[in-house]
Amino acid sequence: MLERPLWAPDEIDIERPSVARMYDFFLGGSHNFAADRQLAQQALQVFPDAPYVVRANRAFLRRAVTLLCELGIDQFLDLGSGIPTVGNVHEVAHAANPEARIVYVDSDPVAAAHSQAILRDDERVRVLHADLRAPAPVLLGAAAEGHLDFSRPVGVLLVSVLPFIPDSDDPAGLVAAYREATVPGSYLAISHGTNEYQPETVGEVEGVYTKASQPGVFRSRDEILALLPGYELLPPGLVDAIRWRPDPNDDRPDPLGGDVARYSLLAAVGRRG
Ligand SMILES: C[S@@+](CC[C@H](N)C(=O)[O-])C[C@H]1O[C@@H](n2cnc3c(N)ncnc32)[C@H](O)[C@@H]1O
């Protein structure tokens, strides 16, 4: 008989690998099933650096949220927030500003249910089980009862989620819809896997992800930049994630020796003008 722990909502098919639960597995989390682990292992066969890449992605997320707090942002819309793990956006933001408000949005039932379970008593955080490809209900849910105030600047986070939005779903149009919902002085933080360095290898990863809940695509630097009109990128622009404002206090050696090709992950933070 297959395992079905308490945190697994009845609606989910635990035999269908989920991109959220595979990511949780790469991070060393426990909210994943055998089918997720099997497909994640297939991805590791072709891309063994995945566990390092996801950690570098989380480190970028932490640095980006910390910077936005320093810039005065006190409300965040985290689209494709994932299954809670260490260093969640609300923890990073609340360390800087205990009043900060956060809305987590994820289409994965486990991500949404687990977030709701651990945050139900925290009035500063709202969890929406929703698909970011429908911006109107997401924005309505985020703004309901004045939780996020869209008349003031908001930090929109699209961290390693746009790879799961194929071109046929118009990712640039979606980024624009969220941008247009925010006022000038708002920010966007984005990271995205790239095919710039190892096109064949990441092509094989894409092949593995065709068997997951959602296909995943790596994009070129120009394709990622094309998702970001209307945002003025803060220095150093769209760069390898490990080179985006590295923490000067972090003196741990880079596990991949600083080899940006092995990460194949780009990141940026932009300000809406
Ligand atoms: C690779 S994880 C990234 C999680 C988190 N943003 C981070 O960087 O650690 C991608 C997440 O995006 C979610 N996701 C994918 N497509 C989505 C969509 N259309 N709407 C909402 N969430 C989505 C997945 O369920 C998953 O939790």
Side-chain angles (χ1 to χ4, degrees), residues 251-262:
D251 54 9
R252 288 171 297 178
D254 184 289
L256 298 184
D259 184 342
V260 295
R262 289 179 67 179

Side-chain angles (χ1 to χ4, degrees), residues 26-265:
F26 291 136
L27 279 171
S30 57
H31 292 84
N32 49 74
F33 298 103
D36 307 312
R37 295 189 284 273
Q38 276 162 16
L39 196 59
Q41 291 291 357
Q42 286 183 37
L44 287 172
Q45 298 275 316
V46 291
F47 195 65
D49 293 327
Y52 300 109
V53 178
V54 296
R55 283 169 178 78
N57 181 61
R58 294 293 299 183
F60 161 72
L61 174 63
R62 279 195 291 278
R63 299 197 301 279
V65 170
T66 301
L67 174 71
L68 295 188
C69 290
E70 287 167 7
L71 292 171
I73 296 295
D74 62 0
Q75 37 180 7
F76 292 88
L77 179 60
D78 186 358
L79 299 164
S81 47
I83 296 169
T85 175
V86 287
N88 297 299
V89 168
H90 69 282
E91 294 163 329
V92 178
H94 287 157
N97 177 358
E99 304 294 317
R101 291 188 169 237
I102 291 95
V103 173
Y104 287 128
V105 180
D106 206 290
S107 54
D108 183 272
V110 169
H114 188 43
S115 301
Q116 272 153 359
I118 63 169
L119 290 162
R120 72 166 54 96
D121 295 328
D122 192 334
E123 291 180 351
R124 302 165 297 178
V125 186
R126 176 171 293 171
V127 180
L128 301 178
H129 180 202
D131 191 321
L132 74 87
R133 289 173 297 180
V138 168
L139 291 163
L140 272 176
E145 294 106 37
H147 190 77
L148 294 195
D149 175 359
F150 283 90
S151 70
R152 295 194 303 109
V154 175
V156 176
L157 310 176
L158 282 166
V159 178
S160 283
V161 60
L162 291 180
F164 302 106
I165 308 292
D167 290 348
S168 54
D169 284 334
D170 187 17
L174 291 167
V175 177
Y178 288 102
R179 185 193 66 228
E180 289 307 307
T182 62
V183 295
S186 296
Y187 289 87
L188 171 72
I190 178 175
S191 64
H192 201 304
T194 185
N195 55 17
E196 289 285 344
Y197 301 110
Q198 319 182 58
E200 283 180 23
T201 299
V202 301
E204 287 179 54
V205 177
E206 289 176 350
V208 172
Y209 271 83
T210 59
K211 294 178 233 162
S213 53
Q214 290 162 269
V217 290
F218 292 77
R219 292 190 166 96
S220 69
R221 188 170 190 283
D222 285 347
E223 286 170 332
I224 298 167
L225 269 181
L227 300 173
L228 307 175
Y231 285 106
E232 184 185 330
L233 301 190
L234 305 188
L238 177 66
V239 295
D240 297 290
I242 58 166
R243 294 199 174 147
W244 189 90
R245 300 188 183 219
D247 181 352
N249 298 317
D250 185 357
D251 54 9
R252 288 171 297 178
D254 184 289
L256 298 184
D259 184 342
V260 295
R262 289 179 67 179
Y263 284 102
S264 289
L265 182 71

